[in-house]
Amino acid sequence: MKILLVEDEVSLASFIKKGLEAESFSTDVAYDGYIGKQLFQKNEYDVVILDVNLPSMNGFDLCQFIKRENERTPVLLLTALDSLDDKIRGFDAGADDYLPKPFAFRELLLRLRAVTKRHVLRHSTVLHLADLTLNLDTKVVTRAEKRIELTSKEFALLEYMLLHKGKIISRAELAERVWDTDFDSNTNVIDVYVNYLRKKIDKEFSSKLLHTVIGMGYSLHES
């Protein structure tokens, strides 16, 4: 996932960028609204994080510009302005979410994942990787045009991994996002379901898509 962060507080921008890149998110930083606008026009981003009180061009105006240029790009406002009127103004400008400062970095990650997932679901009913497809409307999964029958949990697991294809996903993340529970290191239920899924989407095909990254988790990508 590629992120544009527009934040004029240098130390905070550095902290956020470092944390995002530790999660394997590519992050460009602009320290004023005008540079943020230029970067957005020049590059494609999966999500934009905006401060509101920015030099040159404030976050509300930049948010409106972004939504005019590409309504599908999610925008998360990150600001110390947390009154109801400020939030209303932000959502009226087109923001998809609003996180007041100060904040916990973990919450920022959760908000980013939620807002990007909502946009993927809103604008695409079919997820795919190579010759593997998952249709969110019909709940049909195919590979090389051959239908694959999955249980509801296997489907949810594949959906999450397709939404984050190419990324290394830890067992703890899968427990939180697919099983909605804290990770129990004494259970192998996640590994079991990953193996179930691997047998169904990879066993009969020469090109493998579901990979184990030893000591880190799993990744869905082309070999």
Side-chain angles (χ1 to χ4, degrees):
M1 186 158 67
K2 188 166 184 178
I3 296 173
L4 173 60
L5 170 64
V6 189
E7 167 62 63
D8 66 328
E9 188 178 334
V10 176
S11 60
L12 178 59
S14 177
F15 168 76
I16 295 173
K17 178 179 171 68
K18 183 178 179 180
L20 292 174
E21 292 185 340
E23 295 290 325
S24 301
F25 298 152
S26 173
T27 308
D28 290 342
V29 177
Y31 299 107
D32 69 59
Y34 179 71
I35 298 300
K37 179 182 177 181
Q38 288 186 315
L39 286 173
F40 183 80
Q41 290 175 303
K42 181 179 178 181
N43 304 301
E44 292 187 6
Y45 295 99
D46 297 295
V47 63
V48 179
I49 304 173
L50 296 179
D51 188 15
V52 171
N53 289 326
L54 293 167
S56 304
M57 183 179 191
N58 70 56
F60 294 134
D61 291 341
L62 181 52
C63 182
Q64 287 181 320
F65 170 81
I66 288 169
K67 289 299 184 176
R68 285 197 303 269
E69 292 291 301
N70 186 352
E71 189 273 335
R72 295 179 60 172
T73 302
V75 176
L76 170 63
L77 290 181
L78 190 66
T79 175
L81 302 175
D82 61 353
S83 71
L84 179 58
D85 286 343
D86 291 322
K87 292 179 181 179
I88 290 172
R89 186 179 176 190
F91 287 122
D92 284 346
D96 297 275
D97 203 351
Y98 195 109
L99 182 59
K101 298 176 183 177
F103 60 91
F105 184 75
R106 186 182 179 193
E107 182 176 3
L108 174 61
L109 286 179
L110 292 174
R111 299 284 190 101
L112 284 175
R113 288 169 178 151
V115 76
T116 51
K117 183 175 181 179
R118 285 200 302 271
H119 272 257
V120 169
L121 295 177
R122 183 184 308 160
H123 296 289
S124 176
T125 59
V126 178
L127 307 178
H128 62 86
L129 173 65
D131 55 356
L132 174 69
T133 65
L134 180 151
N135 190 302
L136 293 161
D137 288 338
T138 64
K139 307 301 181 185
V140 171
V141 174
T142 64
R143 182 156 189 201
E145 300 184 356
K146 178 181 178 181
R147 183 161 178 163
I148 299 172
E149 299 295 336
L150 300 180
T151 66
S152 60
K153 189 57 70 175
E154 290 166 352
F155 186 94
L157 176 61
L158 179 59
E159 177 187 350
Y160 187 80
M161 297 193 78
L162 279 169
L163 287 169
H164 301 83
K165 58 188 177 183
K167 177 188 172 186
I168 298 174
I169 307 173
S170 68
R171 291 169 178 81
E173 182 177 341
L174 290 174
E176 180 179 349
R177 307 301 292 175
V178 180
W179 272 264
D180 295 320
T181 186
D182 291 332
F183 181 58
D184 181 357
S185 59
N186 294 317
T187 181
N188 67 343
V189 64
I190 294 170
D191 307 275
V192 169
Y193 270 90
V194 169
N195 286 330
Y196 287 159
L197 184 60
R198 177 183 281 120
K199 289 178 182 178
K200 292 185 178 183
I201 69 171
D202 273 348
K203 185 176 180 181
E204 297 181 11
F205 303 91
S206 58
S207 175
K208 308 306 179 186
L209 300 177
L210 183 47
H211 305 272
T212 299
V213 183
I214 297 174
M216 301 179 71
Y218 299 99
S219 180
L220 195 67
H221 64 265
E222 294 184 70
S223 300

